């Protein structure tokens, strides 16, 4: 597999076919791991960082964790490729901007990514569409076990896995579920739901992680505590309580909108569809916002001539790096807006 | 003719077929006149105001100035009818809110309106579509002459016609040309054009006269000086210099937009068309704004499936009073927004 193959299709997480996909976009779990006997990355000398990167890359590839594993050296990759990986949620924004030796291993299905020399020596991530946390935890534990056959991880008998940031010590596990909550946003109840989440020590973030704004009504809910509970217990709370509550709130908000403010909802949905089909210049934030409303419209049965797959693909393919890669040319923002609008019109069968 | 007949069609001035209609919506001239030997309206006792109203109404109707002359008593007319007359530019906002006896006479073509007991005893108005000032001045002078055969107007050998407000003394004549300047607005040059107009002692106002904001890129240009020049000279300046300059500026701005910022212009135009065709709730300000851009799109040859007549009619028929009269029910603003959106979609053949 080559990196350019990625742009030809949407990653597993955005295919949108997973369970509860009317509200849950994706389920992600990541584990933070560090090699025993090696300093944390920020304490390593440049030569040590390079040695680490090479050693981890070789071990991952030799471990044959998944078929068609691709390894990308981040620093030598072009800027566009780094952006592409961020847009696909395969590396973090921080890693894309790193100057030290680092990389990422991605499997062919693109539901597994192993970041090398991010904040920790290893960040293992499994990302799947819809609410699939049991499958996700199963898979990531397998990957973790396989890797542990090839290397020793820093582990403390009392604290658990040791990590660069104390907030990850213990299981090193973070569950992040991406939710689509346009109705709660419209009814103004989203703040209330988030206050409840915050009381449960959950973090709410935007589409691209820490420090990003929620755009297009997408919100990432994740655990803040990694210690004091087993991996299974953390996941169980998400599956049985936290996420079902959000799904229930959002579905009820949609029903209430449809019965009490139907015109207002239809207005937003149909305006969004027709703006996407008519714009000649469009930025990625507006695109996200409009697609979000169209997505809700499809699930409400209001939009019948656009399928979910097309919408989900557009979320990704209209991002700056994807757009440039697909159209095979680098473009400044004004030119991108024009190309994005044309791309969307073509995909949606503009009127 | 009955008042309800008015809603069945657009007034002459909005049929939009007049000369230079790409930039000039309408040409209006009005004359302020007061009866000799009677105090100005604000100095009249209530009984005198009533006597004046009756006498003027009878004289106008007896003078047989135009075929099918309709006289509307403003105070006894319902609120909706008063609003209807304002929306059609047949009476002023001030007159619609008057509590004293007053009225308006309107001819069948609706290009002539004679307001009784507005600020002056009589305000004679001729309103035509496009740039038709010579025709307009010809017609209004004729009406003025005919009326003068039936009554004496207050006239001073040195000052000319005497009026309630000194700003109208002399000719009592105000020329107002309604311009559509969307391109100058987009290029930001409209302010410059208005500063030049202000240096020439011209007033710039919005669509509904004094104190109203320009909405939908419509601007009313009118003279501020009524004394020291003949009627013919005032009109000549508008026809030969002031308006041709505005037309020239606006046309050049449109050409420049098309050659330098074509995507930005097309974006605005096509978004407007599709919002009008898809909205489920829409206010009259937004409607005006969107129709204005579609109107420019038609003149630029970008919008081919909507004709100018439909757009011009929609400007008027989507106003609150017209909408309620057409749909034959009184509605609060939220209900109006829904009805307006539906009305527009039906007229434009929504997709």
């Amino acid at each position: 597999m080559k990196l350019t193959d990625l742009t030809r299709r949407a990653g597993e997480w955005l295919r949108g076919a997973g369970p509860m996909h009317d509200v849950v976009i994706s389920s992600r779990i990541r584990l933070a791991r560090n090699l025993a006997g090696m300093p944390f990355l920020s304490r390593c000398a440049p030569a040590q960082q390079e040695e680490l990167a090479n050693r981890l890359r070789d071990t991952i590839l030799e471990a044959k964790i998944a078929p068609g594993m691709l390894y990308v050296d981040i620093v030598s990759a072009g800027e566009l490729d780094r952006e592409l990986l961020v847009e696909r949620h395969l590396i973090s924004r921080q890693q894309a901007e790193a100057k030290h030796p680092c990389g990422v291993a991605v499997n062919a299905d693109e539901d597994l990514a192993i970041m090398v020399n991010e904040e920790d020596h290893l960040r293992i991530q499994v990302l799947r569409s819809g609410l699939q946390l049991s499958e996700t935890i199963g898979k990531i534990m397998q990957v973790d076990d396989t890797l542990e056959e090839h290397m020793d991880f820093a582990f403390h008998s009392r604290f658990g896995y040791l990590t660069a940031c104390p907030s990850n010590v213990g299981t090193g596990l973070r569950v992040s579920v991406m939710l689509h909550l346009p109705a709660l946003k419209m009814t103004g109840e989203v703040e209330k739901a988030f206050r409840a989440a915050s009381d449960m020590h959950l973090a709410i973030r935007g589409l691209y992680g820490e420090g990003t704004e929620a755009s297009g009504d997408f919100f990432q809910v994740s655990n803040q505590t990694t210690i004091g509970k087993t991996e299974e217990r953390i996941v169980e709370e998400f599956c049985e309580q936290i996420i079902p509550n959000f799904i229930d709130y959002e579905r009820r908000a949609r029903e209430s909108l449809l019965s009490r403010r139907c015109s207002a909802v239809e207005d937003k949905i149909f305006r969004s569809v027709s703006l996407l089909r008519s714009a000649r210049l469009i930025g990625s934030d507006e695109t996200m916002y409009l697609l979000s409303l169209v997505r809700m419209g499809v699930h409400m049965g209001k939009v019948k001539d656009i399928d979910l797959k097309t919408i989900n693909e557009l979320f990704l393919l209209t991002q700056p790096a994807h757009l440039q890669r697909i159209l095979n040319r680098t473009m400044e923002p004004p030119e991108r807006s024009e190309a994005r609008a044309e791309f969307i019109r073509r995909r949606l069968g503009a009127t």
Side-chain angles (χ1 to χ4, degrees), chain A:
Chain A
M1 190 172 74
K2 285 181 299 177
L3 189 56
T4 49
D5 293 340
L6 293 183
T7 49
R8 305 245 159 76
R9 56 199 175 77
E12 200 283 336
W13 66 277
L14 254 183
R15 259 167 243 153
M20 313 289 171
H21 65 258
D22 56 331
V23 181
V24 184
I25 303 289
S26 62
S27 304
R28 174 163 63 158
I29 297 182
R30 69 109 173 106
L31 294 174
R33 295 290 183 259
N34 289 276
L35 291 190
M38 286 289 282
F40 289 132
L41 197 75
S42 58
R43 301 284 184 125
C44 285
Q48 255 181 322
Q49 293 181 331
E50 191 166 350
E51 188 206 319
L52 253 174
N54 293 338
R55 188 174 143 198
L56 290 165
R57 177 198 61 212
D58 294 346
T59 313
I60 292 165
L61 293 176
E62 280 158 21
K64 299 207 182 303
I65 293 159
M69 211 73 178
L70 168 78
Y71 188 88
V72 183
D73 181 302
I74 302 292
V75 178
S76 70
E79 199 191 320
L80 204 59
D81 284 336
R82 290 197 297 269
E83 282 302 314
L84 206 72
L85 291 165
V86 173
E87 290 175 0
R88 296 181 90 81
H89 291 269
L90 295 173
I91 65 172
S92 62
R93 161 82 34 221
Q94 290 70 26
Q95 198 177 20
E97 287 160 7
K99 304 287 176 233
H100 65 267
C102 63
V104 63
V106 181
N107 71 341
D109 281 348
E110 225 183 306
D111 62 349
L112 169 66
I114 307 173
M115 285 170 250
V116 168
N117 283 0
E118 209 253 10
E119 190 180 280
D120 295 292
H121 297 161
L122 289 179
R123 288 270 173 112
I124 312 164
Q125 163 185 292
V126 174
L127 179 57
R128 301 187 65 88
S129 67
L131 186 58
Q132 295 197 54
L133 283 172
S134 322
E135 297 80 353
T136 304
I137 186 77
K139 174 150 188 166
I140 207 165
M141 285 309 182
Q142 236 177 14
V143 173
D144 188 39
D145 289 346
T146 310
L147 285 172
E148 220 161 0
E149 288 166 17
H150 294 80
M151 51 189 124
D152 283 335
F153 290 143
F155 187 86
H156 183 280
S157 56
R158 188 165 155 223
F159 299 129
Y161 288 100
L162 299 177
T163 54
C165 175
S167 69
N168 292 311
V169 165
T171 56
L173 177 141
R174 175 144 298 146
V175 175
S176 298
V177 177
M178 185 78 70
L179 300 170
H180 186 216
L181 308 175
L184 284 175
K185 188 81 176 287
M186 270 184 83
T187 61
E189 292 167 292
V190 81
E191 300 299 332
K192 209 172 63 187
F194 288 170
R195 274 198 301 275
S198 168
D199 291 344
M200 297 174 72
H201 304 289
L202 298 169
I204 311 285
R205 300 194 178 90
L207 193 56
Y208 286 98
E210 216 153 338
T212 67
E213 280 288 313
S215 58
D217 310 325
F218 294 105
F219 302 92
Q220 226 182 87
V221 180
S222 44
N223 61 314
Q224 286 188 304
T225 319
T226 54
I227 198 164
K229 287 177 192 169
T230 64
E231 287 84 350
E232 289 73 16
R233 181 80 197 111
I234 296 172
V235 169
E236 213 176 271
E237 281 179 6
F238 267 80
C239 288
E240 289 173 12
Q241 188 186 348
I242 298 162
I243 303 305
N245 274 346
F246 271 107
I247 294 173
D248 190 43
Y249 290 155
E250 171 65 16
R251 284 181 180 165
R252 271 196 274 170
R254 290 185 194 180
E255 278 163 31
S256 144
L257 283 175
L258 280 175
S259 66
R260 284 186 228 171
R261 291 167 57 197
C262 192
S263 301
V265 175
E266 290 188 343
D267 187 59
K268 276 178 185 284
I269 293 170
F270 293 126
R271 280 174 181 246
S272 301
V273 171
S274 67
L275 283 177
L276 288 167
R277 280 185 166 146
S278 65
R280 260 58 180 175
L281 295 176
I282 195 165
S284 48
D285 282 353
E286 189 189 0
T287 302
M288 197 81 95
Y289 172 77
L290 298 174
L291 284 172
S292 165
L293 289 164
V294 177
R295 191 180 193 279
M296 178 173 74
V298 170
H299 280 116
M300 283 177 164
K302 296 287 176 194
V303 178
K304 298 196 168 93
D305 60 344
I306 304 177
D307 63 15
L308 206 57
K309 186 169 165 285
T310 305
I311 298 170
N312 288 334
E313 280 180 2
L314 280 175
F315 274 114
L316 189 61
L317 303 182
T318 58
Q319 299 287 321
H322 275 79
L323 196 69
Q324 294 177 79
R325 185 46 58 87
I326 292 164
L327 301 176
N328 206 21
R329 61 181 197 270
T330 57
M331 293 178 277
E332 290 303 302
E335 201 192 339
R336 281 211 297 269
S337 292
E338 198 171 337
R340 181 180 293 111
E342 200 193 322
F343 183 76
I344 295 169
R345 290 203 312 281
R346 223 179 309 129
R347 284 280 168 127
L348 293 183
T351 49

